[in-house]
Amino acid sequence: MRGVPPEAITEAAEALAEKIDVLLERATDTVLGAPQPGSDAWQAAWAVRDTDAGRAEIAHRTRVKIAIARAAGVDPRPELERARRAGILAEETAEPPEKPKRRRRPGCSDGQLSMW
């Protein structure tokens, strides 16, 4: 691209990917009703993370996170790969994300310019 160094594109893409991951974690916490970090419930969940029940809960959380990513049109393959490397998920396959249905706000048209 004219006048834009490739390093700037790479840096912006990495920053965006990090923000998407943070938002995906927050969305997963919201959907699952995760306890506040440091609370008694959080401490209890942390204490059992290396048990069969704890590993099952981590696997469930990962599946929910992947489902949210797919529903949002975000490629879940990086999350699947991390889970496989950590031994959390073995059987899941990476399917390409489905195109999310466009949501329109009342009064918006295809001809309207975006805010960014």
Side-chain angles (χ1 to χ4, degrees):
M1 283 177 229
R2 191 175 31 161
V4 179
E7 300 81 26
I9 300 290
T10 300
E11 187 176 317
E14 288 171 356
L16 179 61
E18 287 175 24
K19 296 210 182 283
I20 289 171
D21 193 49
V22 168
L23 289 172
L24 195 49
E25 285 291 336
R26 288 182 184 166
T28 304
D29 285 346
T30 300
V31 167
L32 293 176
Q36 288 289 348
S39 68
D40 289 343
W42 183 88
Q43 294 284 345
W46 183 259
V48 299
R49 71 187 181 283
D50 290 327
T51 66
D52 287 342
R55 284 187 289 276
E57 187 59 35
I58 291 169
H60 174 67
R61 177 183 173 75
T62 302
R63 287 185 189 98
V64 169
K65 187 175 178 183
I66 290 167
I68 293 168
R70 283 185 175 139
V74 174
D75 187 354
R77 288 178 292 190
E79 189 63 32
L80 278 166
E81 289 304 315
R82 279 193 292 270
R84 282 193 195 110
R85 283 193 306 272
I88 297 168
L89 301 176
E91 72 281 355
E92 275 80 357
T93 59
E95 300 169 12
E98 293 180 21
K99 281 269 196 196
K101 292 183 177 153
R102 289 185 69 193
R103 288 176 255 154
R104 289 183 187 252
R105 284 181 271 144
C108 290
S109 72
D110 286 336
Q112 184 176 356
L113 295 175
S114 69
M115 293 295 291
W116 345 343

